[in-house]
């Protein structure tokens, strides 16, 4: 019997664990220190956790590939990730019957150089952290 949309689904019949809460400030700091390389890891981690939790969305590897595509075509992968990840987080909230704190349109923050990325990362990570908290994750925000 298929599970309702938004219901947690895990491989091999086990209950999925909620994703990790991450410190938005630390994510931004590591992104700066690593000249953006940490954003590849961060995108992979969040995409993978959201996919494992709901069995919907792109997953970690496609997000990583999108981010790596920036090496060939600057900005494209990062901009697409900003829209797609915001859309996935929005959908997870809607599947829970909750009003999302962010929507797909938040991807437009890429239009505001530098500061737009900071705003986007702070808001998206906050929304993801709140989502995982609502699903029982109680660890302190880390990496």
């Amino acid at each position: 019997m298929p599970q309702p949309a938004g219901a947690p689904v895990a491989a091999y019949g086990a209950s999925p664990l909620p994703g990790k809460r991450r410190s938005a400030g630390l994510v931004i700091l590591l992104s700066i220190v690593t000249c953006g390389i940490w954003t590849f890891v961060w995108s992979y981690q969040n995409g993978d956790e959201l996919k494992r939790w709901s069995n919907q969305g792109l997953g970690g590897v496609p997000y990583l590939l999108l981010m790596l595509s920036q090496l060939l075509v600057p900005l494209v992968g990062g901009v697409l990730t900003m829209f797609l990840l915001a859309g996935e987080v929005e959908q997870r909230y809607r599947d829970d019957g909750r009003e999302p704190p962010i929507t797909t349109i938040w991807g437009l923050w890429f239009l505001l150089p530098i500061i737009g990325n900071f705003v986007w990362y702070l808001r998206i990570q906050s929304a993801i952290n709140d989502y995982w908290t609502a699903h029982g994750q109680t660890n302190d925000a880390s990496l």
Side-chain angles (χ1 to χ4, degrees):
M1 172 178 250
Q3 295 214 357
V9 179
Y12 314 111
S15 295
L17 296 174
K20 287 179 65 175
R21 294 167 34 95
R22 293 176 174 83
S23 166
L26 195 51
V27 167
I28 290 171
L29 179 64
L30 282 171
S31 297
I32 293 168
V33 169
T34 63
C35 298
I37 293 172
W38 185 255
T39 62
F40 295 28
V41 174
W42 180 88
S43 298
Y44 171 83
Q45 290 173 334
N46 282 295
D48 186 59
E49 289 170 355
L50 288 166
K51 174 79 174 188
R52 276 189 292 114
W53 178 259
S54 67
N55 206 28
Q56 296 176 359
L58 292 179
V61 172
Y63 276 115
L64 179 60
L65 293 174
L66 269 174
M67 294 300 286
L68 287 171
S69 73
Q70 291 183 106
L71 301 174
L72 298 173
V73 184
L75 294 179
V76 172
V79 170
L80 286 174
T81 297
M82 291 176 87
F83 284 101
L84 293 171
L85 192 56
E88 282 194 35
V89 172
E90 175 186 12
Q91 192 57 49
R92 296 295 72 76
Y93 273 85
R94 294 198 190 285
D95 289 346
D96 283 356
R98 298 167 48 202
E99 188 62 30
I102 60 163
T103 61
T104 305
I105 202 77
W106 273 84
L108 288 174
W109 276 102
F110 86 91
L111 293 171
L112 190 59
I114 301 171
I115 193 71
N117 282 321
F118 290 128
V119 171
W120 185 84
Y121 276 104
L122 289 170
R123 289 299 305 263
I124 192 99
Q125 189 60 66
S126 176
I128 292 170
N129 287 347
D130 291 347
Y131 181 80
W132 292 134
T133 299
H135 288 277
Q137 183 58 271
T138 58
N139 71 335
D140 290 333
S142 64
L143 291 176

